[in-house]
Amino acid sequence: MQMQIFTRHVTAISLSWRALKRAHLIGAHRLGNLRHASVFLNTLTPKFYVALTGTSSLISGLILIFEWWYFRKYGTSFIEQVSVSHLRPLLGGVENSGSAGLFSSVNGDAEPRSNVAECKVWRNPLNLFRGAEYSRYTWVTGKEPLTYYDMNLSAQDHQTFFLGDTQQLRPEDSVMQKAWRERNPQARIRAAYQAIELNRECAAAYVLLAEEEATTITEAERLFKQALKSAGKDTNLVVYIKRRLAMCARKLGRIKEAVKMMRDLMKEFPLLGMLNIHENLLEALLELQAYADVQAVLAKYDDISLPKSATICYTSALLKARAVSDKFSPEAASRRGLSTAEMNAVEAIHRAVEFNPHVPKYLLEMKSLILPPEHILKRGDSEAVAYAFFHLQHWKRAEGALNLLHCTWEGTFRIIPYPLEKGHLFYPYPGCTETADRELLPSFHEVSVYPKKELPFFILFTAGLCSFCAMLAMLTHQFPELMGVFVKAFFSTLFAPLGFFADKMESFMPSCLWHQLTNV
C-alpha cells in the first residue's frame, strides 16, 4: 500500500514538472515572437508605412463611397443591413415585424392597421396625358418621367376598370387586355388599332389612342368624344371618359365648362367618390378664384369620417391664409401676438404640414418640381409633387400666402411628438413612404424623406478611418524620419506592458530553475 502511494506521488510530481516545462516553452516561444516582432518593426522603412497607410486609406475610401451610394439609393447602410439580417438570427435576436405603437391613434389606442394599408397607392386624380404631355417631356429632356412600376399599376387599373368580367370578353376586349399589358407604347397603339378593326365601336381602344397617341390636348379631346359615343351604358368607361373630357376643357382654358362637367359627373355618379373627382373640381374652382365655391366643396369633403389628402388639407390652409396673408408681418405679429384669424391660418398650415410634410419645400421652391406620377402615395413625396405641380400657381396668386407659409410651416415639427410614435392631429407618419415613393418617382428625382434620417454609424466610421489613414500616409511621406520615430515609440509603448510582464516572470522564478525545468 505504501509503495502504491509513493508511486502515485512520483507520477503526480512528474506530470507537474512536465506541465511546468510545457508552460515555460510556450512562454519562451511567445517572448521570442515578441522579440522577433520588435526587431522586424525596427527594420521597416518609412516607405512601408506610406504604402500601408495609403492602401488602408484607399480601401476605406472605396467602402465609404459604396456605403454613401447605398444609403442615398436605399436609405440604409449596407453593412448595417447585412449585420442585422445575418448576425441577429445567430445572436438570438427577433425581428420586430410589427409595432402596435406605430399606428396608434391620437389618443394612444392601438389601431388594427398594417403597413400595406398605410402605403396603399392611389390613382392621381390630375394625372397628365402620356402622348400630349409626358411624351413631350421625354422628347425635350431625353428622360422618362414615369417608372415601370407606375405604368404597370396603370395597366392593371385599365384592365380592371374597362374590361370588367373576363368571362365574357369579346375578341376586341381580348386584344385590349393584351394591349394594356404591353410595355412598348407603339405596341399598345398597334393593338388599339387592331381592336378597332375588329369593332369600330371599341371605346377602350379610342381611350388608349387618346391617352398615348394624341400629341395635343385638342386631338386627345376629339378621340375621347369618339370613345364616349361608343361607350354605351358602360358606367366605368363613361365616368373615365367624361372626367378626361373635363380635364381637356380645363387645360384648353374652358374652365367654366370643365367645372360644369365635373359637377354634373359628381351628381350623376355620387357613389364614385373614391375616384376623387372633387379634387379636380377644387383645382378648377381655384383657377376661377371662386373661393366661396371652394369653401363649399371643402365643407362637404373635409370631414373627419372621410380620407384626407394634400389637396384637401392645403386648400383649406390656403383659404384661411389668404384672408390674413396680405397684411401679415412676422415682426408685427411677434410684437402684438397673433389675431384669431391669423391663429386659425397658422393652425391650418400646421395641420396640412403634419399630414404631408413634403409639400412646403415645393411650394416655397426649395426643391425643383418634376412631372407628377400617375399614382401617388398619400402623405408621401409623390403626393407632394402632384399637389405642388398643379397648385403652386394658386398659392402665388394669393398675396402673402407663401410668405405666411414660409414663416410658420417649420413650427409644425415642434408640435409633433418625437420619436413619431404618436401623431398630433393625424395618425403617426407611416415609415414605409420612402420605399414606395422611390418606386413611383423617377430615379433622377431626389426623394424627400421624413423624418430626416441621420447618417448611419458605419458611414461616419469609414469616413473617419479613411481621413485618419490618409493623414498618416501624407505625414509619413512628408516627414519620414519623424514619423518613423513616432511609430517606433508608439509600438514600444504598446508592447511595454507585455515586456514588463515578461521581466516580472523572469525575476519571479530564478533562471537556474528555468534551466533545470527545461532539462527534466
Side-chain angles (χ1 to χ4, degrees), residues 359-375:
V359 172
K361 288 188 177 181
Y362 294 108
L363 293 179
L364 298 172
E365 299 182 89
M366 300 166 65
K367 286 195 68 175
S368 58
L369 273 172
I370 60 171
L371 295 186
E374 293 184 336
H375 288 81

Side-chain angles (χ1 to χ4, degrees), residues 41-90:
L41 291 173
N42 289 330
T43 58
L44 293 177
T45 63
K47 291 183 178 180
F48 170 80
Y49 295 110
V50 173
L52 176 65
T53 52
T55 305
S56 301
S57 177
L58 176 63
I59 294 174
S60 55
L62 293 175
I63 296 174
L64 173 63
I65 293 172
F66 174 76
E67 277 282 295
W68 179 254
W69 169 83
Y70 195 88
F71 175 72
R72 292 296 298 271
K73 187 173 180 65
Y74 299 105
T76 186
S77 165
F78 175 77
I79 300 176
E80 181 179 345
Q81 187 179 30
V82 171
S83 302
V84 170
S85 301
H86 298 281
L87 295 182
R88 179 175 290 183
L90 297 177

Side-chain angles (χ1 to χ4, degrees), residues 52-274:
L52 176 65
T53 52
T55 305
S56 301
S57 177
L58 176 63
I59 294 174
S60 55
L62 293 175
I63 296 174
L64 173 63
I65 293 172
F66 174 76
E67 277 282 295
W68 179 254
W69 169 83
Y70 195 88
F71 175 72
R72 292 296 298 271
K73 187 173 180 65
Y74 299 105
T76 186
S77 165
F78 175 77
I79 300 176
E80 181 179 345
Q81 187 179 30
V82 171
S83 302
V84 170
S85 301
H86 298 281
L87 295 182
R88 179 175 290 183
L90 297 177
L91 297 175
V94 179
E95 189 70 25
N96 189 12
S97 58
S99 175
L102 182 62
F103 302 111
S104 57
S105 65
V106 178
N107 297 324
D109 301 325
E111 292 286 331
R113 297 162 65 91
S114 63
N115 283 346
V116 177
E118 285 290 337
C119 289
K120 175 186 176 182
V121 294
W122 299 74
R123 183 80 175 177
N124 182 5
L126 299 169
N127 66 301
L128 305 177
F129 295 89
R130 288 190 186 179
E133 294 172 305
Y134 287 121
S135 295
R136 286 178 176 269
Y137 179 85
T138 304
W139 296 338
V140 173
T141 64
K143 298 178 180 179
E144 290 291 342
L146 298 176
T147 64
Y148 173 69
Y149 174 73
D150 191 15
M151 291 189 290
N152 186 52
L153 290 176
S154 297
Q156 295 176 19
D157 292 343
H158 292 147
Q159 290 181 70
T160 304
F161 205 63
F162 297 151
L163 300 179
D165 187 7
T166 58
Q167 301 296 327
Q168 300 177 356
L169 288 181
R170 297 168 297 181
E172 62 271 20
D173 293 333
S174 300
V175 173
M176 289 306 302
Q177 189 177 41
K178 295 178 182 178
W180 296 121
R181 291 199 299 261
E182 289 285 352
R183 296 186 62 175
N184 190 310
Q186 295 304 318
R188 291 195 292 271
I189 293 172
R190 286 195 300 268
Y193 278 113
Q194 183 182 350
I196 292 174
E197 290 177 1
L198 293 173
N199 182 5
R200 300 290 298 178
E201 302 297 321
C202 183
Y206 289 111
V207 169
L208 189 147
L209 294 177
E211 292 284 357
E212 304 209 21
E213 188 185 37
T215 56
T216 63
I217 301 298
T218 303
E219 186 180 355
E221 185 180 38
R222 179 184 63 80
L223 288 168
F224 275 123
K225 288 180 178 179
Q226 178 65 36
L228 185 60
K229 294 178 182 179
S230 306
K233 296 182 179 180
D234 190 328
T235 303
N236 291 343
L237 266 173
V238 169
V239 171
Y240 183 89
I241 294 170
K242 286 187 174 181
R243 179 184 197 164
R244 295 304 259 176
L245 281 172
M247 293 176 69
C248 288
R250 163 68 181 91
K251 292 175 185 294
L252 293 173
R254 306 195 308 268
I255 305 172
K256 291 184 178 179
E257 178 186 343
V259 168
K260 183 179 184 304
M261 294 173 68
M262 292 174 191
R263 288 189 185 277
D264 292 343
L265 191 58
M266 293 168 65
K267 290 179 182 178
E268 187 178 359
F269 304 99
L271 299 180
L272 294 178
M274 61 180 179

